Amino acid sequence: MDAISPEREERRRRQKELADQLKASGAMDEIFAKIDAGEPLTGEHGMLGGMLKAALERGLDAELTEHVGYDRGDAEASLYPNSRNGSTPKTVSTEIGDIELAVPRDRNGSFTPMLVPKGQRRLDGLDGMIISLYAGGMTIRDIQHHLANTIGTELSHETISKITDQVADEVLAWQTRPLESLYPVIYLDAIIVKIRDGGHVRNKAAHIAVGVDMDGIKHVLGIWVQATEGAKFWASVCAELANRGVRDVLIVCCDGLTGFPEAIAATWPEATVQTCVVHLIRAAMRFVNYKDRKAVAAALKPIYQAANEDTALEALEEFSASELGKRYPSAVKSFQDAWDKFTPFLAFPPELRRVIYTTNAIESLNYQLRKITKNRGHFPNDAAAVKLLWLAICDIEDKRAREREKERGLPASKRKASGRLIEGNVTTNWKQALEQLALAYPERINPYL
């Protein structure tokens, strides 16, 4: 039998104990009878709605009792300076549907309930549900339809939009949080999103940076939607990272980006900009016939697995002169065009090459994000795109954490939950890679060891 985590076991024990107490007291007998008679639990006429209404109104009445100083029906009520003054109807939206409340009021108008504050039209749990649905990729109209169909709650498009906007301050705090002084490696990749720009919708690149700190732990450093082309945009991104505390970067691994190397050189002059080798291979294979793909892939290996730049150049010339190279000159040209940004990779030892070989770590994240954004028509602005991507990253990591928590205590052979996607993930073979970095950049990395 599968092992159960201590926390889950304790939760089960408490819930069973409470259920047994309720059954033994007879308090649930009438409810069980109604369920047996076919009365619904949820929805507009569900019993849970009635129970929640009763509980909230009882709590509000207790708050008013404390405020005015006497219980309902007290014979000496007239002796108190303030008094009860009937109730006001109020509808609140909850996770189980809309609840019609009778909110008590006082004669002086000084009563301010805490359980359901003035102006609040939703219980906190519903806000959390809406934000979770939004982070999972549902549009505001999808959420509106889902709530109406499942729990009978009718919320306007504007209300749901305001709820999701509540996280804007959290996004801003995350996007401006202080960073480490040194990131040995930073990966940069992009996901294409549709954003309204003036009177039309156009594709924009949302760039995501993942930094590896001195402990080999990966962190999403930020998300930037490219508003302008080239060096100006990248200069602003680099300046932002520097202002948040990044004093040095050893290696930046990315696909070819216009103006990016110049921005890096201006901010961190000693940083190495490295083209993602996997991106380079994909570009070389773009126009290769399916039947020749395996042969071309095998022929390219000696280039990116070469011991040094001279050996790699010989391998490229050999491929160029071969039958496959002549058949697919575009594959040769891909390597030739990226040669200056590809060759720094060849100067690193195998342990370090495995770390910077690819931006797959961030590509796997982008794959998950594309599944969430693909069903959306477009975003109204850049900030909305950043907000959803941030929420989606948090949601993905939270779901994985819950899956791992369920399997805590199980032997490794029986664990099926996925590990961390990016945030907090530890880079494979980091100790060996860090050792090589310390040998290659001793004066820059030793102060942080």
Side-chain angles (χ1 to χ4, degrees):
M1 186 174 178
D2 291 345
I4 300 174
S5 69
E7 293 84 357
R8 189 176 180 187
E9 184 63 39
E10 175 62 18
R11 185 167 65 248
R12 284 185 178 182
R13 186 195 65 76
R14 289 198 305 267
Q15 291 174 351
K16 183 179 185 303
E17 183 179 302
L18 179 59
D20 289 344
Q21 289 174 357
L22 288 170
K23 291 175 185 176
S25 69
M28 300 292 292
D29 292 348
E30 186 176 347
I31 294 174
F32 290 152
K34 290 183 177 181
I35 293 174
D36 292 341
E39 291 194 27
L41 272 174
T42 58
E44 185 178 352
H45 305 291
M47 286 186 292
L48 287 180
M51 293 168 65
L52 181 57
K53 171 182 169 66
L56 290 173
E57 288 181 348
R58 181 178 179 181
L60 289 167
D61 192 64
E63 285 190 58
L64 183 61
T65 294
E66 184 177 354
H67 181 71
V68 297
Y70 66 89
D71 292 323
R72 182 183 295 278
D74 192 326
E76 298 181 351
S78 60
L79 301 177
Y80 291 86
N82 196 3
S83 61
R84 296 173 183 271
N85 188 31
S87 63
T88 303
K90 180 175 184 174
T91 303
V92 293
S93 299
T94 76
E95 294 166 281
I96 59 174
D98 289 345
I99 305 294
E100 302 295 334
L101 294 177
V103 180
R105 61 190 182 193
D106 65 326
R107 182 72 62 184
N108 293 345
S110 57
F111 175 52
T112 304
M114 301 297 293
L115 187 60
V116 184
K118 289 182 178 180
Q120 180 172 320
R121 294 292 175 179
R122 302 177 307 277
L123 296 189
D124 291 342
L126 183 63
D127 286 15
M129 178 191 293
I130 290 170
I131 290 172
S132 178
L133 292 172
Y134 186 81
M138 292 181 71
T139 65
I140 289 174
R141 297 198 184 279
D142 289 339
I143 295 171
Q144 190 178 27
H145 181 70
H146 175 78
L147 294 178
N149 282 352
T150 55
I151 62 176
T153 294
E154 298 280 354
L155 293 180
S156 68
H157 184 277
E158 292 74 18
T159 297
I160 297 174
S161 180
K162 286 179 181 178
I163 293 171
T164 60
D165 285 343
Q166 292 174 5
V167 301
D169 290 342
E170 293 182 56
V171 176
L172 179 62
W174 173 78
Q175 190 82 335
T176 57
R177 73 195 189 282
L179 299 175
E180 299 290 333
S181 298
L182 171 68
Y183 286 94
V185 183
I186 287 181
Y187 304 98
L188 193 70
D189 204 3
I191 178 173
I192 301 300
V193 291
K194 295 182 181 298
I195 298 177
R196 179 165 292 281
D197 185 7
H200 60 279
V201 175
R202 69 186 183 96
N203 289 340
K204 286 189 175 183
H207 295 275
I208 301 175
V210 173
V212 181
D213 66 19
M214 286 293 293
D215 295 320
I217 300 173
K218 297 171 185 171
H219 305 276
V220 180
L221 304 183
I223 304 171
W224 299 271
V225 175
Q226 188 159 358
T228 58
E229 294 294 331
K232 184 177 180 181
F233 168 74
W234 288 116
S236 67
V237 171
C238 291
E240 180 182 319
L241 290 173
N243 290 337
R244 290 166 61 192
V246 182
R247 297 289 170 260
D248 195 8
V249 178
L250 302 185
I251 302 167
V252 183
C253 186
C254 63
D255 195 14
L257 299 168
T258 303
F260 184 66
E262 292 79 6
I264 288 288
T267 311
W268 303 292
E270 297 181 278
T272 298
V273 178
Q274 170 62 54
T275 292
C276 170
V277 178
V278 170
H279 274 99
L280 181 55
I281 295 169
R282 286 178 187 165
M285 301 284 285
R286 185 171 298 147
F287 301 110
V288 175
N289 191 300
Y290 181 78
K291 66 181 180 65
D292 292 328
R293 292 182 72 84
K294 285 187 178 180
V296 172
L300 293 175
K301 272 188 179 182
I303 303 172
Y304 60 83
Q305 291 184 349
N308 52 52
E309 182 177 350
D310 291 339
T311 308
L313 185 58
E314 289 177 10
L316 178 61
E317 291 173 349
E318 183 177 336
F319 172 70
S320 177
S322 68
E323 181 182 343
L324 285 173
K326 292 176 180 177
R327 192 181 308 168
Y328 301 109
S330 61
V332 178
K333 189 174 186 300
S334 295
F335 271 87
Q336 290 174 337
D337 292 346
W339 195 252
D340 290 341
K341 295 295 179 289
F342 160 67
T343 50
F345 171 81
L346 301 173
F348 298 117
E351 294 84 1
L352 193 51
R353 286 191 189 187
R354 282 192 286 269
V355 173
I356 63 172
Y357 172 71
T358 176
T359 55
N360 273 353
I362 196 170
E363 284 184 3
S364 59
L365 172 63
N366 285 350
Y367 172 75
Q368 298 293 333
L369 295 179
R370 287 187 188 98
K371 291 197 295 185
I372 291 169
T373 59
K374 70 178 180 181
N375 293 328
R376 305 185 67 89
H378 63 273
F379 295 95
N381 49 55
D382 295 354
V386 173
K387 178 180 71 176
L388 176 65
L389 293 174
W390 177 80
L391 279 171
I393 292 170
C394 295
D395 191 53
I396 291 167
E397 297 291 8
D398 285 348
K399 286 178 180 176
R400 291 189 171 209
R402 288 196 297 271
E403 290 170 359
R404 292 194 300 274
E405 180 63 26
K406 290 178 182 178
E407 295 184 353
R408 181 183 292 183
L410 292 178
S413 60
K414 293 187 177 181
R415 294 180 190 172
K416 298 180 181 178
S418 303
R420 295 174 183 269
L421 183 59
I422 285 289
E423 191 65 38
N425 189 16
V426 180
T427 304
T428 305
N429 298 321
W430 177 249
K431 288 294 183 182
Q432 293 88 335
L434 185 61
E435 180 182 11
Q436 297 298 327
L437 285 169
L439 292 173
Y441 308 103
E443 70 287 349
R444 295 166 62 192
I445 204 169
N446 285 343
Y448 299 94
L449 290 176

